[in-house]
Amino acid sequence: MHFAVIVFPGSNCDIDCYKAVQDVGESVDYVWHTETDLSKYDAIIVPGGFSYGDYLRCGAIARFAPVMNEVVKAAEAGKPIIGICNGFQILLEAGLLPGAMRRNESLKFRCHSTKLRVENNATPFTSEYAAGEEINIPIAHGEGNYYCDDETLARLKANNQIVFRYAGENPNGSVDDIAGICNEAGNVLGMMPHPERAMNQLLGSEDGVRMFKSILNTWRERHGAAVNN
Amino acid sequence: MLKATVYVTIKQNVLDPQGSAVQGALHSMGFAEVGSVRIGKYLELQLDTADQGEAEARVKAMCEKLLANTVIEDYRYELQAV
């Protein structure tokens, strides 16, 4: 399985994402934001950071980078796409996921471990978790206060698109304690917490490992167990 | 040449955490008469056109596509010859 980690000017979690994929034994490339072909990749990670300095709004400028046309095509083709933190903001700006991000209610940049509840384990990203399981994944953001209107929230609930909720304190004021959502088809996930920073107990948690394994295992199931890469 | 002045503000029904913080600060300083505070963005765009109608349509498109996120933000603009 081949992963792409998209790199924008200002991405700073790209290396962690790259190493997380290596940790589960898969091949991965950095892909510069000017690229116009993602056809050889099976999964795409839009990493965290501060694309284009977060000028105007987080993710607003990155959303128009040439590579995003290809990300949209990959989403339509059903490939798994994860946007983490700034990546989530970019997917929202691109309209691949509904809603928008506001400044944290506390106005503080929050950087610490958080408890998440796995609300939907029937996605390609969460199949290795138990439904309702609480996992420990760190956050690091100043604008993770997810917002959508009531109608959109009702739709997210009805379609089981809320993948993660904050299980303890809501660190940013997001609507309905939402920490991560997927699209209706389930192949595009956006989340504020950083699973790529929870790959080793030495760093406080290895609960992120199963997210990358979930992607891999789901892909293997769909492409036949005989395929190794 | 035209100058477009664009104002982008958080929609009234969406919490503006920065505005709330500033409101709290003003209250604690004794400016008790302050009701709500909304913080937004102010942009000046120099446009290389003299056609008011065309400029209006273009600025509207810029606002809708990039300058404002219409999920949470409202925008308005003024055009003036420079």
Side-chain angles (χ1 to χ4, degrees):
Chain A
M1 187 175 185
H2 301 294
F3 283 75
V5 174
I6 310 292
V7 184
F8 296 96
S11 295
N12 66 10
C13 300
D14 43 344
I15 299 173
D16 288 341
C17 289
Y18 187 98
K19 287 182 184 296
V21 175
Q22 283 186 325
D23 280 356
V24 293
E26 293 307 300
S27 89
V28 54
D29 288 330
Y30 294 117
V31 176
W32 191 233
H33 63 109
T34 53
E35 287 294 326
T36 52
D37 185 6
L38 291 175
S39 57
K40 68 174 174 173
Y41 297 105
D42 305 305
I44 296 161
I45 303 178
V46 188
F50 297 87
S51 55
Y52 298 87
D54 276 353
Y55 293 156
L56 195 63
R57 292 182 309 280
C58 303
I61 299 177
R63 171 251 182 284
F64 290 101
V67 76
M68 286 306 295
N69 294 325
E70 301 306 303
V71 173
V72 171
K73 276 188 212 164
E76 284 165 0
K79 290 184 185 179
I81 296 169
I82 329 172
I84 301 166
C85 200
N86 188 231
F88 185 11
Q89 294 161 343
I90 294 168
L91 296 183
L92 291 171
E93 286 283 342
L96 285 171
L97 293 169
M101 214 53 92
R102 297 170 298 185
R103 192 71 68 94
N104 289 353
E105 211 164 40
S106 64
L107 298 182
K108 288 179 184 157
F109 187 97
R110 301 288 298 265
C111 183
H112 52 72
S113 65
T114 51
K115 284 265 185 286
L116 300 187
R117 191 167 49 248
V118 180
E119 301 286 7
N120 179 356
N121 72 340
T123 77
F125 313 95
T126 51
S127 57
E128 300 293 303
Y129 298 109
E133 182 180 353
E134 286 192 7
I135 58 174
N136 184 11
I137 305 278
I139 56 162
H141 61 250
E143 297 206 19
N145 183 352
Y146 176 78
Y147 171 83
C148 64
D149 59 27
D150 293 343
E151 197 183 311
T152 306
L153 181 62
R155 214 166 46 236
L156 288 175
K157 285 180 180 170
N159 297 329
N160 214 8
Q161 288 172 256
I162 300 172
V163 181
F164 298 110
R165 280 194 175 93
Y166 298 107
E169 177 220 8
N170 178 337
N172 47 39
S174 64
V175 162
D176 208 24
D177 299 331
I178 285 174
I181 57 169
C182 64
N183 62 347
E184 273 188 47
N187 66 309
V188 178
L189 170 74
M191 62 189 295
M192 287 316 292
H194 288 267
E196 82 283 8
R197 293 188 187 178
M199 297 295 286
N200 193 310
Q201 202 58 53
L202 280 173
L203 296 174
S205 169
E206 55 186 22
D207 286 344
V209 174
R210 282 182 287 158
M211 171 162 297
F212 293 91
K213 284 197 172 156
S214 297
I215 300 168
L216 182 55
N217 291 343
T218 307
W219 187 83
R220 282 191 176 146
E221 277 165 25
R222 283 184 193 164
H223 291 81
V227 181
N228 286 323
N229 56 20
Chain B
M1 289 269 282
L2 289 172
K3 184 175 97 172
T5 309
V6 180
Y7 304 87
V8 180
T9 47
I10 301 263
K11 283 183 195 287
Q12 282 302 328
N13 61 348
V14 175
L15 173 78
D16 174 2
Q18 291 183 89
S20 305
V22 171
Q23 181 203 37
L26 288 169
H27 283 175
S28 66
M29 291 162 72
F31 298 106
E33 70 272 31
V34 177
S36 83
V37 177
R38 314 292 293 176
I39 292 183
K41 296 187 186 87
Y42 168 87
L43 301 95
E44 287 182 354
L45 315 175
Q46 298 285 347
L47 305 176
D48 194 9
T49 174
D51 185 328
Q52 189 96 9
E54 183 199 321
E56 198 148 321
R58 300 277 290 172
V59 170
K60 191 165 187 295
M62 291 176 212
C63 290
E64 295 279 342
K65 283 186 177 173
L66 177 67
L67 303 181
N69 179 337
T70 54
V71 176
I72 50 169
E73 292 173 330
D74 289 324
Y75 64 87
R76 65 188 171 85
Y77 54 84
E78 292 152 10
L79 285 171
Q80 65 182 102
V82 287

